[in-house]
Amino acid sequence: MTLVLGAIADDFTGATDLANNLVRAGMRCVQTIGVPTTDLALDDVDAVVIALKSRSVPATQAVSDALAALAWLQGHDVRQVFFKYCSTFDSTDAGNIGPVADALLGQLGATQTVMVPAFPINGRTVYQGHLFVGDRLLNESGMQHHPLNPMMDADLVRVLGRQTPHQVSLAAHATLARGAAHTREHLKQLSADGVRHVICDTVEESNLAVLAEAVIDYPLITGGSGLGQALPEQYRRKGWLSEVSDPGRLAPASGSALVLSGSCSRATLGQVAHFLEQYPGIALDPLKLAEGPSHFETALTFAREHLAHGGPVLVYASADPERVKAAQATLGGAHAGELVEQALGQLAQILVAEGVGQLVVAGGETSGAVVSALAIHQLRIGDQIDPGVPWTQAPLEGRDAPLSLALKSGNFGGEDFFSRAFEVLKTLTKEQQTA
Ligand code: ADP
């Protein structure tokens, strides 16, 4: 069984973003959490996206994680490999984009790859090799203050040049404007000159299609989720994709409905408030969790009562900045976060074992804690609820029906996200049952 695309993503939400775009453009997609250690059911899958946690780890670690992911993909006969990173090219002078791309090229026996971080509809463009966020250069966009990967230089040829001993050059907008064949010739010429990495301008969406077509035969391509959105059309033209009417098809949803929220971002706070106008919910307070088990027990009992009627019910630690600061001042920031993540992970474990089948989780770190508490290693990607947040399904050991799971990072989603998520799931699976 051949996989058309195997992607290696340097973080979890980036992986979901890419997988979501692939499904929307017509590919059936599974996202794995880490390199798979067990067999996956891949009969009706076109793409696998392996989510690593390698964006901010030392370069040697990022390289060995990426090579392990590549070994798995090569074992599954993958046609094209895609190294996915952030649209703001998050990295430091020590890596990790350059070292990982070099290692993957070496292992694949390829001599050149392209770098396409841009996604014009999301305001990320590249012109003359310079990355813009909206109308600002990357280094004036706020990214210069990023706590882990401050981006002080918008010139990506220069940025990548500091991360690799190999030659870096540019495919400029004027080249792309002349079409895929001309771009392919330009890349070939650069390759003959010894250029291994080509930063690609992307000013408008159509540039992504030109690039995807120009590099369709490259063993390795790299970039953001925007390039991902342009790939399926090219694979279809090649005849590599079978025609499926609904690549985001999921199994019928079952079980009761629960929302767990550990995100304190502004969007999530609005979503919590909106949900509570209509549905029951209970707050978790890290200060009370620190005092002993009774606070946790109260939340568990409350959730169980409402889940007995099918839910949805919300358990949330989400709190405004003052309350978060107060908890952190007493407990320390890391410990407060751990207490919340542990409690929400445990609630997920207990309540899913008792019959929750539809679970929405808010918060990036919180999602990580819940997924790990549930020992989930793979997600089938379904249709999206809001931009960037798809419903997914994960097989559960000892249960026939999969768990329907939506993992939302902080700032994503409209105000009615929580309640609408369940409505979307209902219509989505109802349509499919009658299809
Ligand atoms: P986001 O995606 O919005 O950044 P995350 O889940 O990644 O959300 O991060 C939120 C962090 O805040 C988590 O570590 C969570 O445990 C912690 N947290 C949640 N509620 C509280 C609270 N009331 N007090 C202190 N920390 C909290």
Side-chain angles (χ1 to χ4, degrees):
M1 150 95 217
T2 300
L3 279 177
V4 179
L5 179 68
I8 302 169
D10 68 355
D11 88 336
F12 182 83
T13 44
T16 309
D17 194 16
L18 172 62
N20 186 47
N21 280 350
L22 292 172
V23 170
R24 282 162 54 74
M27 291 179 88
R28 298 163 300 176
C29 189
V30 163
Q31 176 181 340
T32 72
I33 297 149
V35 181
T37 51
T38 51
D39 278 347
L40 304 184
L42 296 175
D43 288 345
D44 60 348
V45 172
D46 304 305
V48 170
V49 180
I50 298 177
L52 300 177
K53 223 176 167 175
S54 59
R55 184 169 297 168
S56 309
V57 303
T60 47
Q61 181 69 45
V63 164
S64 69
D65 290 353
L67 287 177
L70 178 61
W72 188 91
L73 292 171
Q74 286 182 310
H76 289 77
D77 201 15
V78 64
R79 279 190 202 263
Q80 188 163 48
V81 175
F82 183 177
F83 170 35
K84 155 77 175 72
Y85 39 77
C86 190
S87 63
T88 42
F89 213 72
D90 296 21
S91 52
T92 65
D93 285 353
N96 290 335
I97 295 175
V100 168
D102 279 329
L104 295 175
L105 279 172
Q107 185 61 32
L108 286 161
T111 51
Q112 189 182 68
T113 190
V114 287
M115 308 264 162
V116 189
F119 200 174
I121 52 168
N122 287 347
R124 311 291 198 272
T125 52
V126 176
Y127 183 62
Q128 302 298 355
H130 289 67
L131 179 50
F132 289 81
V133 178
D135 62 356
R136 300 278 94 188
L137 281 164
L138 177 65
N139 57 312
E140 297 171 11
S141 68
M143 279 302 293
Q144 69 272 33
H145 303 305
H146 190 284
L148 300 175
N149 316 295
M151 298 302 288
M152 315 299 283
D153 189 356
D155 181 340
L156 298 188
V157 174
R158 214 160 44 193
V159 170
L160 193 69
R162 291 190 286 261
Q163 297 183 22
T164 173
H166 299 282
Q167 270 198 68
V168 183
S169 189
L170 176 70
H173 183 252
T175 302
L176 304 185
R178 294 176 64 184
H182 184 78
T183 303
R184 197 177 294 128
E185 277 311 307
H186 176 70
L187 293 173
K188 219 187 259 177
Q189 186 55 51
L190 290 177
S191 187
D193 296 342
V195 172
R196 199 165 159 90
H197 302 287
V198 185
I199 301 288
C200 298
D201 275 2
T202 313
V203 175
E204 57 236 338
E205 288 298 305
S206 60
N207 297 153
L208 291 171
V210 166
L211 285 166
E213 186 180 347
V215 298
I216 188 83
D217 291 317
Y218 274 44
L220 176 72
I221 53 178
T222 86
S225 63
L227 178 61
Q229 198 170 45
L231 292 171
E233 175 59 23
Q234 302 306 322
Y235 298 148
R236 210 173 288 119
R237 286 192 193 178
K238 279 267 191 184
W240 294 350
L241 290 182
S242 43
E243 277 307 322
V244 278
S245 57
D246 189 1
R249 168 184 287 268
L250 294 175
S254 63
S256 52
L258 172 67
V259 183
L260 296 173
S261 179
S263 158
C264 300
S265 73
R266 198 183 303 164
T268 307
L269 295 178
Q271 289 157 354
V272 166
H274 189 273
F275 185 85
L276 291 174
E277 285 170 13
Q278 242 190 310
Y279 297 100
I282 188 164
L284 278 181
D285 180 346
L287 290 167
K288 291 190 190 152
L289 285 171
E291 286 169 10
S294 73
H295 185 55
F296 177 86
E297 294 294 338
T298 307
L300 179 60
T301 307
F302 179 91
R304 274 179 175 146
E305 269 168 29
H306 291 280
L307 289 169
H309 308 291
V313 59
L314 164 69
V315 183
Y316 63 100
S318 313
D320 58 40
E322 272 96 86
R323 297 210 10 238
V324 171
K325 244 182 247 157
Q328 289 177 335
T330 309
L331 300 167
H335 187 46
E338 273 161 23
L339 283 169
V340 168
E341 284 170 34
Q342 203 183 0
L344 292 175
Q346 229 175 325
L347 281 171
Q349 210 173 19
I350 295 169
L351 296 171
V352 167
E354 291 177 3
V356 164
Q358 307 168 43
L359 177 60
V360 173
V361 185
E365 292 299 321
T366 309
S367 293
V370 166
V371 157
S372 125
L374 293 172
I376 285 172
H377 304 294
Q378 57 170 303
L379 300 168
R380 176 80 190 212
I381 307 297
D383 289 331
Q384 70 176 13
I385 305 160
D386 268 341
V389 198
W391 267 111
T392 73
Q393 283 183 335
L396 285 178
E397 215 165 296
R399 205 148 110 187
D400 287 341
L403 172 69
S404 298
L405 188 60
L407 303 170
K408 183 195 84 78
S409 59
N411 277 316
F412 281 63
E415 201 182 35
D416 59 348
F417 180 86
F418 293 151
S419 51
R420 206 160 36 76
F422 297 111
E423 287 158 25
V424 168
L425 184 63
K426 218 179 281 166
T427 41
L428 204 152
T429 51
K430 200 185 279 166
E431 273 168 21
Q432 286 163 2
Q433 272 171 310
T434 53

